[in-house]
Amino acid sequence: MKKLLASLMALSMVFAVTGCSESSDSSSESKAEAKTTTTTTAAPAVESKADTTTTTAAPEESAADTTTSADDTTSTGDEAKGTYENNVYTSDLYTFKIDSKKWAMQESAGVDVMFTYADAGDDAELESASINVISMSNDLLNGLTASDYADQIKQTYNSMDGYTVTNDKEDKFAGKDAYIVDVTGEIGSQKVLLNQIITSDNGNLVVITYGASENAYSKLSDEFKTVLDSFELK
């Protein structure tokens, strides 16, 4: 369940950025394609309304299958833009606090960084909780706005069987204008809740995705809020 949910969250990012890349020039398309390539076991082949290319899940791989030590001070891989040290993750565009005793940093292609909940104890459902962040520079976006990206996210989920956009609004996040997209869906017999915050600063786009199974989500609402409240955009 943990890997399936984390993979789905990363998959939604891939679909959205695939749609975004169509509005860029050929150079930007190459960069976007390199940034968003990922493999996942989260869902069957799904066709995005904004892009007629169908993405098929790889049979034996997960988008989040390698746990990085909580004390690791290096980036999570080629996709990551930042470092994680003393419970603070820092990139060129943002910084946020996340407790290494409760959250484990994962390697995941297609996102800057991903954390999964590691303080589950005897409650296995809590392991379904994930937080990931993806960012794109103004040069890569080629004029694409946070609003455009939010629209693509909604189209992506609406094209996926069993998933429903339950909330779609404009709000503030870390002092910036933001778009909030909330989604419900099912993985196996479990209902899952996913939330995405899409914001931009000086033309650079930052997207935060977090969620868990329905039961775990209610138990971890304070944990999610603590992480989100710590975000600062540079």
Side-chain angles (χ1 to χ4, degrees):
M1 177 66 170
K2 172 181 173 182
K3 289 184 178 181
L4 291 178
L5 180 56
S7 298
L8 176 63
M9 292 162 70
L11 181 64
S12 69
M13 296 294 93
V14 174
F15 277 128
V17 180
T18 298
C20 294
S21 67
E22 292 182 346
S23 65
S24 303
D25 58 24
S26 57
S27 175
S28 296
E29 287 178 3
S30 298
K31 293 178 183 177
E33 182 179 354
K35 180 177 179 66
T36 59
T37 301
T38 188
T39 55
T40 177
T41 58
V46 180
E47 184 175 320
S48 168
K49 293 182 179 178
D51 185 351
T52 57
T53 301
T54 300
T55 301
T56 305
E60 296 295 334
E61 297 182 60
S62 168
D65 56 8
T66 304
T67 302
T68 303
S69 168
D71 296 325
D72 189 1
T73 60
T74 62
S75 67
T76 56
D78 292 341
E79 303 301 331
K81 295 290 187 181
T83 58
Y84 184 40
E85 187 174 9
N86 297 325
N87 295 321
V88 178
Y89 184 84
T90 304
S91 81
D92 293 340
L93 301 179
Y94 57 87
T95 184
F96 65 95
K97 299 177 182 178
I98 188 161
D99 191 343
S100 61
K101 294 180 179 179
K102 296 181 178 181
W103 297 89
M105 189 166 68
Q106 305 282 345
E107 291 185 357
S108 180
V111 299
D112 292 357
V113 66
M114 176 180 287
F115 289 88
T116 56
Y117 196 68
D119 190 28
D122 295 330
D123 192 345
E125 281 195 348
L126 297 182
E127 294 181 354
S128 67
S130 296
I131 298 173
N132 71 49
V133 186
I134 185 172
S135 62
M136 285 170 281
S137 68
N138 189 30
D139 290 340
L140 178 63
L141 292 169
N142 196 32
L144 193 85
T145 66
S147 176
D148 296 332
Y149 194 95
D151 287 341
Q152 176 61 23
I153 285 290
K154 289 182 287 184
Q155 291 175 17
T156 297
Y157 279 115
N158 285 332
S159 72
M160 298 171 69
D161 291 340
Y163 288 82
T164 303
V165 175
T166 57
N167 187 32
D168 167 24
K169 66 179 182 180
E170 296 182 39
D171 207 336
K172 290 285 186 180
F173 178 75
K176 305 293 182 181
D177 292 335
Y179 294 84
I180 313 296
V181 179
D182 300 334
V183 178
T184 61
E186 293 182 358
I187 297 179
S189 61
Q190 290 283 341
K191 183 176 181 180
V192 298
L193 305 179
L194 299 175
N195 306 92
Q196 291 177 319
I197 301 170
I198 303 116
T199 189
S200 61
D201 185 27
N202 294 322
N204 302 307
L205 192 70
V206 176
V207 183
I208 301 140
T209 305
Y210 63 99
S213 67
E214 185 175 31
N215 290 338
Y217 190 100
S218 61
K219 297 174 184 177
L220 292 175
S221 58
D222 288 342
E223 292 292 337
F224 286 135
K225 186 177 187 302
T226 296
V227 175
L228 295 172
D229 285 348
S230 72
F231 261 85
E232 295 182 8
L233 300 174
K234 296 183 178 180

